[in-house]
Amino acid sequence: MIRTVKLTKIFRTELVETTALSEVNFEVQNGEFVAIMGPSGCGKSTLLNILGLLDHSNSGEYYFNGTEVSTFNERQRTLFRKGNIGFVFQSFNLIDDLNVFENVELPLIALNVSRAKRRKVVDEMLEKMNIGHRREHFPRQLSGGQQQRVAVARALITKPKLILADEPTGNLDSQNGEQVMQLLEQLNGEGTTIVMVTHSLSHAERAHRVVNLFDGKIITEQVDRTFEPVLKFSEPY
């Protein structure tokens, strides 16, 4: 599904030049669950942002299902993300003025899905995430674990081929963090490809593969679980 070739990202100011990623070669197969680890500042989030087409590399190539996407302009990137990539962030990134239903519905509005269809699929997703009873509540009325469930529901609602999760349990206590990890494992078992940045070794070990970054380079990879590639994608809306 994903392949990068000598991906390099350099941040420059007037006085300082920082290499966040240095010629990174990275692959993820369809249906795989990959965890990315490393110390703060090693390039984990930078790599995730480039994979999600939220940021540009300075050089190198990035292929998504065989399509070279690193040269896309901003409009092409926005259109490509829709239905292909979902995001789960540490800070949840829910919209405070929208209730649970409206937060999850938002990506479908961007895809011009009909109102009747939106209502049906959002209700189904909220029930799947065990958050349906909170559909009329606002983010401030939810626990951290509930907010993250809403964020996962929003990421999944367009049936993306890939979920990118940046420290999805970082703001949660151990119990809620465990619930989110179980949810990610369940989604991966149903065929969703997941790339997760984490500082937690115990969470990383639940992925099929652990990739360790240091100073912008992949230094080790460890395969912990048997993985069989998924051959089919869900049909998008």
Side-chain angles (χ1 to χ4, degrees):
M1 172 182 279
I2 287 175
R3 181 168 66 93
T4 72
V5 181
K6 294 186 177 181
L7 206 64
T8 297
K9 177 66 176 181
I10 300 172
F11 293 102
R12 294 185 175 92
T13 67
E14 292 183 1
L15 300 176
V16 180
E17 179 175 290
T18 303
T19 300
L21 296 174
S22 179
E23 297 191 346
V24 171
N25 297 313
F26 180 62
E27 292 189 15
V28 178
Q29 297 186 64
N30 184 32
E32 195 174 11
F33 188 170
V34 178
I36 302 175
M37 299 194 72
S40 296
C42 71
K44 302 186 301 296
S45 292
T46 298
L47 177 58
L48 213 66
N49 287 338
I50 292 175
L51 295 180
L53 298 179
L54 297 176
D55 198 0
H56 297 262
S57 60
N58 293 92
S59 63
E61 302 166 6
Y62 171 26
Y63 297 89
F64 191 107
N65 284 337
T67 300
E68 222 287 47
V69 296
S70 62
T71 58
F72 280 8
N73 60 35
E74 203 55 47
R75 182 175 181 276
Q76 290 172 315
R77 288 167 174 263
T78 300
L79 292 174
F80 191 85
R81 283 195 297 266
K82 294 178 180 180
N84 281 312
I85 304 173
F87 300 89
V88 180
F89 300 99
Q90 177 178 350
S91 56
F92 314 137
N93 284 6
L94 301 177
I95 299 175
D96 292 336
D97 294 334
L98 300 182
N99 64 29
V100 166
F101 183 95
E102 292 165 339
N103 265 282
V104 177
E105 178 188 36
L106 203 57
L108 296 178
I109 295 175
L111 290 177
N112 296 317
V113 177
S114 70
R115 184 172 183 175
K117 180 70 172 178
R118 295 199 308 266
R119 182 174 296 276
K120 178 178 184 295
V121 298
V122 171
D123 281 339
E124 289 175 351
M125 182 60 70
L126 293 179
E127 290 303 317
K128 181 177 182 179
M129 297 294 109
N130 295 319
I131 200 72
H133 61 295
R134 297 284 192 174
R135 69 195 306 278
E136 301 295 335
H137 287 68
F138 291 86
R140 62 183 176 274
Q141 298 172 304
L142 306 177
S143 69
Q146 289 170 335
Q147 289 186 59
Q148 194 61 292
R149 283 183 174 273
V150 177
V152 173
R154 183 183 58 187
L156 288 172
I157 197 65
T158 60
K159 299 181 181 179
K161 300 176 177 66
L162 172 68
I163 291 289
L164 299 176
D166 194 356
E167 293 283 358
T169 64
N171 283 336
L172 303 177
D173 58 36
S174 58
Q175 181 178 354
N176 282 313
E178 173 62 23
Q179 291 176 357
V180 169
M181 285 306 303
Q182 290 177 359
L183 177 58
L184 291 177
E185 285 186 302
Q186 175 188 337
L187 297 172
N188 179 248
E190 295 170 357
T192 303
T193 306
I194 299 174
V195 178
M196 176 183 70
V197 164
T198 183
H199 280 103
S200 170
L201 181 59
S202 62
H203 290 170
E205 288 175 342
R206 294 161 76 163
H208 297 120
R209 180 159 51 101
V210 181
V211 175
N212 288 281
L213 283 179
F214 187 77
D215 285 350
K217 297 180 180 181
I218 294 177
I219 55 172
T220 61
E221 293 192 40
Q222 180 180 357
V223 178
D224 290 326
R225 295 166 59 186
T226 302
F227 167 68
E228 295 182 3
V230 176
L231 300 180
K232 293 183 179 180
F233 298 118
S234 299
E235 288 296 323
Y237 295 112

